[in-house]
Amino acid sequence: MSLALFVMQCLNGLQLGVLLFLMAAGLTLVFGIMNFVNLAHGSLYMMGAFIAASVYNHSGSFVLAAIVLVPAMLALGLAVEYIALKKLYDRDHLDQVLATFGLILFFNELARMIWGASPYYMEVPDRLSGAIKFLGISYPAYRLLIIVVGLAVAAGCYLLIHKTRLGMLIRAGATHRQMVGALGVNIALLNSLLFGLGAVLAGVAGLMAGPILSVQPGMGEPILILTMVVIVIGGIGSVRGAFLAALIVGVVDTLGRTLLPALLRSLFDRSTADTAGPALASMLIYLVMAIVLAIRPQGLFTVKHG
């Protein structure tokens, strides 16, 4: 493999990693801080992709799609939390799993009713359809934008969690929920805001993924699995851990799918390598998860609950 191709695959891995972080950041807040298992997070990602694609296809403006998406996903997240999930916070995790799995089925059918079962395409904006040359390679401008947006969101999450009063309440609520409630903080409102923020981040991930993936019902389930792996590796409840783990998973998955089949071709015949390579490559991230859990069962970073 040439150096240029290696660098390009590393950038592809970084791009996948920041997409996963957009998903994982919202889910780890809900899962780790609210102690709520939300399997429907992938459905929020799917709805974000459909909403953004609809606005973009009707208006031709990617910026307008982004502007409309944020309040739309906040409203959707708050509505789902209020109508379906609010009474489940103190229930067993099994009840939460069953309820949010039902939401997956609901949103998939809703998407089919509104947008149809066929893929709903969202084109890359014309201004971002070209490539940018740097480090001796030519890399798609839109994929570079995904990286920039993901890093900007990571910085925003850090500032929110560590530099604002809301972030202080979030961190305090994660570690001493009952004490914070006793001091007069509205924990129910804090939970609603967290769920709404998670929905917005999932929607932004759907917006950014729309032009490079086919937008279709059920698209949220595969990325939800990868997001769960990211959260487990990074440490449940840690946004910093989610960011690092997302980059690790993105780069390992991308380089594994590129390098492993080529390595196997040098050891086995081509048909065997082409059959075994993709299968083994898809297992790499789970192998990484197993290694991390064997060394640090709590994940790379942890949020201690009190």
Side-chain angles (χ1 to χ4, degrees):
M1 175 183 290
S2 66
L3 179 60
L5 181 57
F6 178 77
V7 172
M8 183 172 291
Q9 292 303 323
C10 286
L11 288 172
N12 286 338
L14 182 60
Q15 175 247 300
L16 174 60
V18 296
L19 265 183
L20 290 175
F21 170 72
L22 289 173
M23 285 287 292
L27 187 57
T28 198
L29 289 173
V30 174
F31 189 18
I33 295 177
M34 295 168 58
N35 195 30
F36 185 85
V37 182
N38 180 26
L39 294 186
H41 197 70
S43 297
L44 295 174
Y45 159 83
M46 176 192 70
M47 293 301 294
F50 271 118
I51 292 171
S54 297
V55 175
Y56 177 70
N57 289 339
H58 283 86
S59 67
S61 173
F62 189 80
V63 174
L64 180 62
I67 293 173
V68 171
L69 176 75
V70 172
M73 289 306 301
L74 179 61
L76 178 61
L78 292 176
V80 169
E81 192 265 350
Y82 181 79
I83 295 172
L85 305 180
K86 199 163 190 171
K87 296 182 180 179
L88 295 174
Y89 290 146
D90 296 326
R91 300 280 289 273
D92 187 79
H93 281 167
L94 178 60
D95 294 336
Q96 298 169 1
V97 167
L98 291 174
T100 52
F101 180 75
L103 285 176
I104 293 175
L105 302 179
F106 169 78
F107 279 116
N108 284 343
E109 288 304 315
L110 179 64
R112 289 190 182 94
M113 290 171 59
I114 298 175
W115 291 283
S118 302
Y120 189 79
Y121 293 102
M122 180 179 179
E123 299 294 334
V124 174
D126 292 336
R127 293 184 179 180
L128 298 170
S129 59
I132 296 177
K133 293 184 178 180
F134 66 103
L135 299 176
I137 65 171
S138 182
Y139 195 72
Y142 184 76
R143 290 180 179 268
L144 200 59
L145 176 66
I146 294 176
I147 296 174
V148 172
V149 169
L151 295 178
V153 169
C157 287
Y158 174 81
L159 293 175
L160 173 67
I161 298 296
H162 295 281
K163 302 296 182 180
T164 67
R165 176 174 174 80
L166 177 60
M168 179 189 69
L169 293 176
I170 290 173
R171 286 182 283 120
T175 54
H176 302 287
R177 185 185 305 271
Q178 293 181 346
M179 184 179 295
V180 171
L183 292 174
V185 176
N186 190 333
I187 295 295
L189 178 60
L190 187 63
N191 286 343
S192 297
L193 291 176
L194 275 175
F195 197 91
L197 175 61
V200 169
L201 292 176
V204 171
L207 164 71
M208 302 310 297
I212 59 174
L213 300 174
S214 60
V215 181
Q216 58 187 341
M219 65 180 290
E221 283 76 84
I223 198 170
L224 178 66
I225 296 173
L226 289 177
T227 304
M228 290 291 190
V229 172
V230 166
I231 291 174
V232 170
I233 292 175
I236 295 174
S238 172
V239 175
R240 177 175 55 170
F243 179 70
L244 180 59
L247 297 185
I248 292 173
V249 169
V251 171
V252 168
D253 184 67
T254 302
L255 289 181
R257 294 179 187 277
T258 304
L259 297 177
L260 193 56
L263 177 63
L264 290 177
R265 288 191 194 104
S266 65
L267 300 175
F268 305 101
D269 61 88
R270 189 176 185 85
S271 61
T272 301
D274 289 344
T275 301
L280 293 175
S282 64
M283 296 169 56
L284 280 179
I285 58 171
Y286 303 105
L287 179 61
V288 171
M289 181 176 69
I291 293 172
V292 170
L293 292 180
I295 299 173
R296 287 182 61 85
Q298 71 274 30
L300 298 176
F301 300 92
T302 56
V303 173
K304 295 180 180 179
H305 293 269

